[in-house]
Every structure is written in structure tokens, then in C-alpha cells.
């Protein structure tokens, strides 16, 4: 029997406010354990929370960017459950009246665009962090750090519209891109500021009722999400084909071993005993304020991609790659504004610039070769001052020193040789030294000229004008 995969994602995004959602404690990541805490976020008796206005603004901004309806009236609720990292024994969240509902996100997989529904976006406080002695499955003990308690979150709940792990990964990548564009979160999965829980089930192909789902936790990278879901597809398929029954449960992903492990059964829905938070007033969002926030939204990835394709003639792939990151797209636009030809700027950005950024593990914002300096390098290539090959050497010098291309070229004497007389001498020497390649060329083996061009470039230390080298070699060989 063929099965259809059904996936829904719950994305938890930490908002980049300076203080927590209900108190003035810092949200800075990496502080000493249990230092960014106070009686409010620790839930001590007699304290009263106060909503951080910036959290509401960021939640509205995210809802608008995800094509949601912003509700003019929403409220906070208490979600009651016990866990060691939850000092109040309840989480302040939103239940029946969230801040935003009925949105969507368009993704592209295998050249096809698909719309994924977004059920809701709601605000809530984060819990603390448990530090295990081993993995969550085999840990002998756990320590708790409450610094994260009360850090503001939005939870973005999708409809069960995803049909493959690949679609789930594309959805998450697009989601992160949008949240970074609107500047509500840094979305650093390695620091936990973007996390994902996945619900996955299988059903016989062509049927409507959903199968029994498993919930996956501990998915802290796009790769983990895709691999974890792929494993679950295989596991659930094997169970069903063996005549077994899928158990509704929560499972954790073991990245090292590439398997999911059962954490706890969820045979019945957990009763969180939601009730309205009595210590926080409902939130009334002025429609005029919503429209003001909408007007301030930046150009989002899809619109920016379309503009780059229309204005600069970039391919869909190039535009998609560059606009995936707002910082990368800003760098590209700045390089073009500084005079770089668009396609050349795109090639350098996706090539040498990205290669060096990845090797150094730094973001494009920290690139020592600024967009203006890259434009200067491209200008030297366009003018024929340096060849494309020499440009790579120049770029290395720019990366290491921070100097502009013109300075590097002058200091290292890398100006391209375009004097025909100088190149003829090298060409004649190479022809004389390689009679076999000359004979191969004369025998009709066109590829032989490639070897000869390489020898000329080697003799000139890469400085000879490649076009002129090809022209002169063909002339000399034909005349010979």
C-alpha cells in the first residue's frame, strides 16, 4: 500500500527584544546561568507581570509578513503543566484569542510553488533550559538554567499542508528568511532562538482522514528537521506494513545516531486547563497601528526576488539564493549601486565571497571585503586591468588586508598584460617548447590549444590577457 505523508509544524521564535516579555530582565544569550532572572520571571509569590509593548509590535509585524489577519482583541491565558524548567508550573501563552490568524506562506520545491496555511501566530513566554548530563534519553541528571524563562516567543502553527520532509525544510528556510527580513529575531537555531516541533502521520494514499501522529522534538537545525521526518516516514511505514498500530506519542531526535526515540505517550490529549490570565489585561490593537506597522515592512523575499529578476536579469536560482538572506541581498544591492554589473556581482557573491564567509564562519555583515570594494574589483576586470583569474588573487589580498582592489593590484604588480608584442614573445616560446601540442592542433585536435593557453598563462604568471592569448596562438599556429 502507498502512504501519503502529512506534516504540520510548530515554529517557536524568540523575539529580539532587549528585555523579557513580562519583566525588565535581559534577554542576552550566553550569560552566566541563572543571572538574568528576577522575582517576576521566576514566578515568586506576590509579583505582577507587565506586558512588553515591543513584543506585541513584533508579533503584529510577523503576523502581517505571514499574510495573517490581526485580531483587534486578544488575550493571554495560563497553560497549566509541570516541568522542571517551568518555575510557575504554568506558561503564560495565548489560547482561543491569539494575536494573528489565517495566514499563509508560499514555498517552492522542485520548481513548483505551493501555499502552506498558517493557522495562528500567538505570543508566549519561553521556559527555562534543562542541561542534561548526556542525551535527553539517557541522562543521569539535569541542571536547570532559568535565564531563558520569560524570553518572549511567538509560536507559528501551520496547517497540516506539508507532504514531505523536503517541503518541511523549504517551509522552515522561508520562514526564517521572512523573520530575519522583518528584524524580529536573529533566528539562530544553534542558540535556540528558532526551534521547531513537527507533527507527522501517514495515511493511505487517496484517503481523507488523518493517521495517528507522532510529535518530534529536539529539532535544532534544518538538516535535523529533514532527517528526523525522513526517519519517521520510514519507521511509520514499516509499522503499518507489518500490521502494527502507530502510537500517538512524543519522540525526540537523536542527531548522532540518526533515529527518533520515544519520550512519552500522548494517547489522549493533554488537558492544560487553560483559563484567562487574571493578572494581564486583554490586548486591544488599534487598526491604525496595524496599518502603520504594515507600511513599515521591508521588501520581503518574494518581492525582492521578483525585482532582482526583472531589474537585473538574474535567474530564478541566483535571485532565490541571494534573497534568502536579507543581509546578502543588501550586500548585492549595495554592490550594484556602487557600479558593479549585476550578474558579475551575483557570481562573486555566491562564489568567492560565500566560500570565504563559510570558511571563516562569519556572516556577510562582517565581510572584510565591503560591497563597494567588490564593485571596485569587478570594475578592474571590466576595464581589462586584471583578468578574472588574477581577480581571485586580488580578492584573497583584499580579504586578508581589507585594502581595495586597486591598491592590491599596484602593490603586487598584477596589472594584466595587454601589450601584443610582449605576449607574442611568450606565445612563440611556448609554441617552440611544445611541438607535440602544435602537431595535435594541426591534426584537428582543437583541445590542444587549451594546453598551450595554459602554458602562456603560466609563463606570464596569470597576467596575460586571455582573449589576446587565444587570438595570437590561433594566428601563429594557423600561419605556421
Amino acid at each position: 500500500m502507498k502512504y501519503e505523508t502529512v506534516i504540520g509544524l510548530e515554529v517557536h521564535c524568540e523575539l529580539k527584544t532587549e528585555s523579557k516579555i513580562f519583566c525588565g530582565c535581559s534577554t542576552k544569550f550566553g550569560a552566566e546561568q541563572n543571572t538574568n532572572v528576577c522575582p517576576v520571571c521566576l514566578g515568586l509569590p506576590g509579583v505582577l507581570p507587565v506586558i512588553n509593548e515591543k513584543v506585541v509590535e513584533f508579533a503584529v509585524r510577523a503576523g502581517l509578513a505571514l499574510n495573517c489577519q490581526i485580531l483587534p482583541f486578544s488575550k493571554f491565558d495560563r497553560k497549566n503543566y509541570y516541568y522542571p524548567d517551568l518555575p510557575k508550573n504554568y506558561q503564560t501563552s495565548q489560547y482561543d484569542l491569539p494575536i494573528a490568524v489565517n495566514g499563509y506562506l508560499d514555498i517552492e520545491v522542485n520548481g513548483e510553488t505551493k501555499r502552506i496555511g498558517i493557522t495562528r501566530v500567538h505570543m508566549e513566554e519561553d521556559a527555562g533550559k534543562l542541561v542534561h548530563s548526556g542525551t535527553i534519553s539517557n541522562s543521569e541528571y539535569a541542571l536547570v538554567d532559568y535565564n531563558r524563562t520569560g524570553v518572549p516567543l511567538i509560536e507559528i502553527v501551520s496547517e497540516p499542508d506539508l507532504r514531505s520532509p523536503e517541503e518541511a525544510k523549504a517551509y522552515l528556510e522561508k520562514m526564517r528568511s521572512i523573520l530575519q527580513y522583518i528584524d524580529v529575531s536573529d533566528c539562530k537555531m544553534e542558540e535556540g532562538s528558532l526551534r521547531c516541533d513537527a507533527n507527522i502521520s501517514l495515511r493511505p494514499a487517496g484517503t481523507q482522514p488523518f493517521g495517528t501522529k507522532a510529535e518530534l522534538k529536539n529539532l535544532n537545525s534544518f538538516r535535523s528537521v529533514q532527517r528526523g521526518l525522513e526517519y519517521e516516514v520510514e519507521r511509520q511505514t514499516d509499522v503499518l506494513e507489518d500490521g502494527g498500530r502507530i502510537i500517538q506519542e512524543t519522540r525526540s531526535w537523536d542527531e548522532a545516531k540518526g533515529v527518533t526515540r520515544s519520550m512519552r505517550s500522548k494517547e489522549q490529549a493533554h488537558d492544560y486547563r487553560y483559563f484567562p490570565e487574571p493578572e494581564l489585561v486583554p490586548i486591544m490593537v488599534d487598526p491604525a497601528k496595524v496599518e502603520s506597522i504594515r507600511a513599515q515592512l521591508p521588501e520581503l523575499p518574494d518581492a525582492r526576488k521578483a525585482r532582482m529578476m526583472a531589474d537585473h536579469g538574474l535567474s530564478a536560482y541566483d535571485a532565490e539564493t541571494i534573497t534568502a538572506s536579507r543581509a546578502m541581498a543588501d550586500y548585492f544591492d549595495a554592490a550594484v549601486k556602487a557600479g558593479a554589473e549585476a550578474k558579475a556581482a551575483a557570481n562573486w557573491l555566491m562564489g568567492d565571497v560565500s566560500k570565504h564567509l563559510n570558511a571563516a564562519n562569519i556572516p556577510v555583515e562582517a565581510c572584510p571585503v565591503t560591497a563597494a570594494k567588490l564593485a571596485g574589483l569587478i570594475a578592474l576586470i571590466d576595464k581589462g586591468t586584471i583578468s578574472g583569474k588574477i581577480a581571485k588573487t586580488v580578492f584573497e589580498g583584499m580579504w586578508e588586508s581589507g585594502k581595495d582592489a586597486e591598491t592590491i593590484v599596484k602593490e603586487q604588480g598584477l596589472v594584466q598584460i595587454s601589450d601584443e608584442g610582449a605576449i607574442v614573445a611568450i606565445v612563440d616560446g611556448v609554441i617552440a617548447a611544445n611541438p607535440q601540442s602544435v602537431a595535435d592542433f594541426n591534426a584537428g585536435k582543437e583541445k590542444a590549444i587549451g594546453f598551450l593557453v595554459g602554458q602562456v598563462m603560466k609563463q606570464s604568471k596569470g597576467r596575460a590577457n586571455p582573449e589576446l592569448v587565444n587570438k595570437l596562438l590561433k594566428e601563429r599556429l594557423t600561419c605556421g
Side-chain angles (χ1 to χ4, degrees), residues 21-22 39-44 47 49 78 80-83 85-92 125 146 149-150 277 279:
I21 188 169
F22 300 125
V40 174
C41 54
L42 289 176
L44 299 184
V47 298
R78 290 190 180 183
N80 295 275
Y81 66 95
Y82 170 76
Y83 206 65
D85 62 6
L86 197 67
K88 297 186 296 186
N89 286 340
Y90 66 85
Q91 180 187 31
T92 304
E125 62 183 343
Y146 287 121
T149 302
E277 170 56 69
E279 295 175 341

Side-chain angles (χ1 to χ4, degrees), residues 7-263:
I7 299 170
L9 298 182
E10 299 171 6
V11 176
H12 296 80
C13 171
E14 286 186 358
L15 302 177
K16 57 187 296 186
T17 56
E18 292 185 6
S19 57
K20 294 184 180 182
I21 188 169
F22 300 125
C23 66
C25 289
S26 171
T27 57
K28 186 175 181 181
F29 178 81
E32 185 178 350
Q33 292 88 344
N34 297 307
T35 56
N36 290 343
V37 294
C38 73
V40 174
C41 54
L42 289 176
L44 299 184
V47 298
L48 288 174
V50 178
I51 183 64
N52 182 339
E53 184 179 358
K54 203 71 175 177
V55 174
V56 180
E57 179 186 330
F58 280 6
V60 171
R61 193 186 301 179
L64 292 173
L66 296 171
N67 306 293
C68 291
Q69 172 193 354
I70 306 302
L71 296 186
F73 180 94
S74 66
K75 64 180 176 65
F76 281 102
D77 301 274
R78 290 190 180 183
K79 180 180 180 181
N80 295 275
Y81 66 95
Y82 170 76
Y83 206 65
D85 62 6
L86 197 67
K88 297 186 296 186
N89 286 340
Y90 66 85
Q91 180 187 31
T92 304
S93 181
Q94 291 190 294
Y95 180 48
D96 56 331
L97 289 173
I99 190 73
V101 296
N102 300 330
Y104 65 85
L105 184 64
D106 290 334
I107 63 172
E108 187 173 317
V109 177
N110 298 325
E112 295 185 3
T113 299
K114 181 175 182 179
R115 179 158 293 181
I116 308 300
I118 292 175
T119 309
R120 56 189 279 145
V121 177
H122 65 258
M123 299 175 286
E124 62 185 21
E125 62 183 343
D126 207 345
K129 180 181 180 181
L130 291 179
V131 182
H132 299 279
S133 63
T135 69
I136 193 171
S137 302
N138 62 21
S139 181
E140 295 182 0
Y141 65 86
L143 304 176
V144 64
D145 178 7
Y146 287 121
N147 279 348
R148 199 172 68 183
T149 302
V151 168
L153 289 177
I154 52 173
E155 181 174 342
I156 303 162
V157 182
S158 83
E159 292 288 320
D161 293 341
L162 298 157
R163 292 293 175 267
S164 71
E166 188 178 12
E167 287 185 5
K169 180 172 179 284
Y171 173 88
L172 277 176
E173 289 175 337
K174 187 69 167 289
M175 179 72 69
R176 180 181 68 170
S177 180
I178 289 174
L179 295 172
Q180 288 178 329
Y181 263 71
I182 62 176
D183 202 29
V184 299
S185 175
D186 58 27
C187 296
K188 294 179 179 178
M189 296 188 81
E190 69 277 11
E191 293 182 3
S193 56
L194 187 70
R195 309 192 293 276
C196 174
D197 296 337
N199 294 302
I200 176 170
S201 63
L202 301 184
R203 64 184 176 189
T207 62
Q208 290 301 314
F210 292 139
T212 303
K213 67 182 179 182
E215 180 185 30
L216 296 191
K217 297 276 191 181
N218 195 32
L219 302 170
N220 56 11
S221 71
F222 297 134
R223 182 171 179 267
S224 292
V225 170
Q226 184 167 357
R227 290 183 67 211
L229 290 171
E230 288 172 346
Y231 179 85
E232 271 300 297
V233 171
E234 292 183 10
R235 184 188 72 82
Q236 293 189 24
T237 299
D238 289 343
V239 170
L240 293 172
E241 289 184 344
D242 287 344
R245 182 175 69 91
I246 301 298
I247 298 173
Q248 185 171 328
E249 61 182 341
T250 299
R251 301 179 68 87
S252 76
W253 169 246
D254 188 325
E255 180 69 32
K257 296 187 177 180
V259 299
T260 63
R261 301 181 185 280
S262 180
M263 292 174 63

